[in-house]
């Protein structure tokens, strides 16, 4: 699925996941800067990659500035060290005020601790690059599972503040999407088109690819991304 606009995205760490993520984002015409402490790591990007590479330590503020973090849309910290990834992610979030930050973690038991700090994390897995891309480009909406051959998928949406007080039928596409359930303050509810939404509700819907694209666009606009 193509993105709605070109963003500048910084990837700290050019291992397998970092290189795969960089190539995927570049192929979707985003401006990508890859940072790594070791120059040879950039060989993983291959000759077709035309984005920027910056040799430097991701925990170095000046190196991050050289990578363009002050005007970046998002940052993904995907080095081989949990500690480095968390420090880089917190710097991006707390010092440079980036709204879209993701840190890869190898020990999933640490993920709840990091999430309490307000950091989005992805545990190490074969689909890490795809999942990070989804969070960066489509915050607030993630696919839970596909039905059939993928013609319909079930999605989880974190309801933005701008949707609070609105009926569900007013925010869903007219065709191709149906409410499934809703979680509010830890309680599960059956969602209907007349359900009044509250900020931070977790809404499960089923949607076709066309309807999902419309929903992503609406969330993209609401988030000011």
């Amino acid at each position: 699925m193509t993105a709605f606009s070109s963003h500048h995205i910084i990837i700290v760490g050019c291992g397998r996941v970092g290189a795969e993520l960089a190539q995927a984002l570049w192929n979707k015409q985003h401006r990508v800067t890859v940072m790594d402490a070791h120059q040879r790591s950039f060989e993983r990007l291959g000759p077709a990659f035309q984005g920027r590479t910056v040799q430097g330590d991701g925990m170095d503020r000046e190196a991050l500035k050289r990578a363009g973090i002050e005007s970046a849309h998002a940052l993904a910290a995907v080095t081989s060290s949990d500690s480095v990834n968390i420090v880089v992610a917190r710097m991006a979030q707390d010092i440079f005020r980036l709204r879209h930050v993701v840190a890869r973690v190898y020990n999933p038991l640490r993920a709840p601790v990091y999430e309490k700090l307000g950091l989005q994390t992805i545990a190490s897995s074969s689909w890490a690059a795809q999942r990070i891309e989804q969070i960066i480009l489509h915050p607030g909406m993630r696919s839970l599972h596909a039905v059939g051959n993928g013609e319909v998928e079930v999605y989880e949406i974190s309801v933005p503040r701008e949707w609070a007080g609105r009926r569900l039928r007013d925010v869903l596409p007219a065709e191709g999407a149906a409410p499934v359930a809703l979680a509010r303050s830890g309680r599960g509810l059956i969602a209907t088109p007349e359900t009044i939404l509250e900020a931070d509700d977790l809404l499960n819907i089923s949607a076709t690819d066309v309807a999902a694209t419309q929903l992503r666009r609406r969330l993209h606009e609401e988030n000011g991304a």
Side-chain angles (χ1 to χ4, degrees):
M1 184 173 296
T2 58
F4 304 118
S5 61
S6 176
H7 294 306
H8 178 210
I9 299 167
I10 297 174
I11 299 170
V12 179
C14 194
R16 187 182 67 179
V17 170
E20 182 181 339
L21 179 61
Q23 291 162 346
L25 292 171
W26 173 258
N27 289 338
K28 293 180 179 178
Q29 300 184 339
H30 291 283
R31 291 175 291 121
V32 181
T33 298
V34 183
M35 175 184 289
D36 198 284
H38 305 288
Q39 183 69 30
R40 292 193 63 180
S41 297
F42 300 131
E43 295 176 4
R44 293 188 179 94
L45 295 168
F49 180 73
Q50 299 294 312
R52 287 184 65 213
T53 58
V54 174
Q55 184 178 3
D57 186 342
M59 295 188 293
D60 182 344
R61 292 191 195 186
E62 293 306 315
L64 288 171
K65 288 180 180 179
R66 282 193 285 112
I69 194 169
E70 292 172 311
S71 60
H73 168 78
L75 178 143
V78 292
T79 76
S80 59
S81 167
D82 283 5
S83 299
V84 170
N85 291 341
I86 295 305
V87 170
V88 173
R90 293 207 69 183
M91 287 176 62
Q93 193 173 65
D94 299 340
I95 297 175
F96 295 102
R97 303 299 182 187
L98 259 66
R99 293 181 59 190
H100 307 299
V101 178
V102 186
R104 184 189 187 195
V105 296
Y106 288 81
N107 184 351
L109 296 178
R110 298 177 182 173
V113 176
Y114 298 145
E115 289 171 1
K116 287 182 180 179
L117 298 174
L119 296 174
Q120 290 211 69
T121 60
I122 293 297
S124 178
S125 70
S126 60
W127 51 269
Q130 179 181 354
R131 182 71 181 96
I132 291 170
E133 178 189 344
Q134 186 181 66
I135 290 176
I136 286 175
L137 297 183
H138 308 298
M141 179 173 172
R142 67 188 183 100
S143 174
L144 297 179
H145 64 267
V147 179
N149 292 317
E151 298 89 351
V152 174
E153 293 191 48
V154 176
Y155 297 89
E156 181 183 79
I157 296 175
S158 179
V159 174
R161 290 189 301 272
E162 292 79 4
W163 288 8
R166 299 170 68 179
R167 286 183 173 83
L168 184 50
R169 62 178 169 80
D170 295 329
V171 299
L172 290 183
E175 297 181 357
V180 177
L182 181 146
R184 176 178 295 164
S185 301
R187 294 182 61 239
L189 306 170
I190 297 297
T192 73
E194 299 304 314
T195 296
I196 303 296
L197 297 171
E198 294 184 8
D200 299 321
D201 282 348
L202 288 178
L203 173 66
N204 288 354
I205 65 154
S206 59
T208 63
D209 188 57
V210 172
T213 298
Q214 295 174 358
L215 273 168
R216 286 193 177 101
R217 184 174 290 110
R218 291 179 185 179
L219 286 166
H220 179 87
E221 293 168 352
E222 296 289 0
N223 281 301

